[in-house]
Amino acid sequence: IATQVLVPTMVEAGQAPAEMSAIDISGIAHDSAELYDPVAEDAGLRLVTEIADGIEIKGNRELVGQALGNLIDNAVKYAEGSGGEAEIRVSLARQGGDVVLSVADSGPGVPDEKREDVVKRFVRLDASRSKPGTGLGLSLVGAVMEMHQGRLELDATHPGRENNRGLTVRMVSPTPVD
């Protein structure tokens, strides 16, 4: 099966396949975490999940899966070598009327003044220049969330970390399916 890699401009321009239907976002989150668990382990990271079962949203399975994969891949890159007990946490829950899928890492985080910049195309912070990538990951996630009438949120904390270091990225979808 060939996988199409979509660039943010295609998603933003509406040129990406956007068949929207009820999708099992709990299943997508479980599958993605299972797929990346060996990658995280090889990088010396612990991948922890807190995924509520049975949550569906109206969306495009491939785009949501690719967006989540980008977030977990980023977390693996930037939590690696962060010292102490390096961890990635993938969470999914209903919060009010929204469905919130988040990926948190225990890496160095993103400075407050750079948070708006890192979601733009081709933007990479100086500290990440030695890591592989093009600077399209968060831009794609933002475009996917916009296509799904959702939003992307970045927070400079990691749940459960004493030193509050790290980054939590949330994909917030206002389209739960009951």
Side-chain angles (χ1 to χ4, degrees), residues 16 21 24 36 65 71 75 87 99 105 114 121 134-135 140:
S21 61
D24 176 11
Y36 278 92
L71 293 183
E87 176 182 279
V99 172
D105 70 64
K114 298 289 186 180
R121 278 182 251 149
T134 59
L140 174 71

Side-chain angles (χ1 to χ4, degrees), residues 50-132:
E50 296 174 345
I51 300 169
D53 290 323
I55 298 180
E56 291 186 340
I57 62 168
K58 183 177 180 186
N60 180 287
R61 180 175 177 74
E62 289 76 25
L63 291 176
V64 171
Q66 183 176 352
L68 178 56
N70 284 356
L71 293 183
I72 298 172
D73 186 62
N74 277 353
V76 169
K77 284 180 202 172
Y78 299 113
E80 183 178 21
S82 61
E85 189 174 315
E87 176 182 279
I88 297 169
R89 185 176 303 262
V90 178
S91 306
L92 174 69
R94 287 181 183 263
Q95 293 181 0
D98 295 330
V99 172
V100 180
L101 178 57
S102 65
V103 177
D105 70 64
S106 58
V110 174
D112 292 346
E113 67 276 6
K114 298 289 186 180
R115 254 186 250 135
E116 285 185 31
D117 293 336
V118 296
V119 296
K120 295 175 184 172
R121 278 182 251 149
F122 305 114
V123 171
R124 301 186 72 206
L125 299 180
D126 289 337
S128 68
R129 301 256 182 230
S130 64
K131 305 280 185 183

